[in-house]
Amino acid sequence: RIRYNRPDMLPLQSLWASLPATMIQAFLDDKPVGIIGAAPWGNYALGAGIHVRREYQGNGISSFLIQRFIEHFSEFTLLINIGNPRVLQGYLRAGFHDVEPYSLPDE
C-alpha cells in the first residue's frame, strides 16, 4: 500500500498495481511461510512483492523464494519495485541491480 497513490510513488492505475500476477508460495511442514510473484508483461515480469511470515524471517526463506522466482520467470527481464529497503539486500545478493528510471519502459 505504501508504494501506491503518493506523488513520488506509483499510481494505482499503473501496470505494477493492475496486472494479474503469478505467485509462488513456500511451505514449511505444510504451513505457508512465504510468497513471491510477478506479473508478466511483454518481455518483462513486474515484481508483485515478496512476503515472509514474521516468525520465519531471517531463516533463508526470502533467498529461497527469490531463487524460485528467478527460475520461474527466467524468460523475462525481471523488474522489481522495492517498498521495503531491507528486502533490497536479498535481491542484490541474487544478482539484481538498481536501474535508473529513464531505462525503464515508458508504461
Side-chain angles (χ1 to χ4, degrees):
R1 286 178 276 171
I2 63 172
R3 284 185 262 183
Y4 303 109
N5 238 10
R6 287 183 27 204
D8 59 333
M9 296 295 200
L10 298 168
L12 284 170
Q13 310 87 309
S14 72
L15 292 173
W16 292 91
S18 61
L19 287 175
T22 299
M23 305 305 285
I24 301 165
Q25 290 184 323
F27 288 84
L28 192 60
D29 297 326
D30 293 325
K31 181 178 185 174
V33 296
I35 190 165
I36 192 170
W41 177 68
N43 293 326
Y44 299 95
L46 308 179
I50 181 170
H51 305 279
V52 175
R53 286 182 186 252
R54 188 175 319 273
E55 63 269 27
Y56 292 93
Q57 291 177 3
N59 293 309
I61 293 171
S62 63
S63 295
F64 171 81
L65 285 168
I66 291 170
Q67 288 306 312
R68 300 296 81 72
F69 175 76
I70 292 168
E71 292 166 9
H72 186 80
F73 293 101
S74 62
E75 71 270 22
F76 298 97
T77 297
L78 303 173
L79 299 175
I80 310 300
N81 180 324
I82 304 293
N84 180 343
R86 293 179 303 165
V87 174
L88 177 61
Q89 295 310 308
Y91 285 102
L92 294 175
R93 282 191 300 275
F96 286 77
H97 60 275
D98 283 329
V99 294
E100 295 298 327
Y102 62 80
S103 67
L104 297 172
D106 289 336
E107 293 79 3

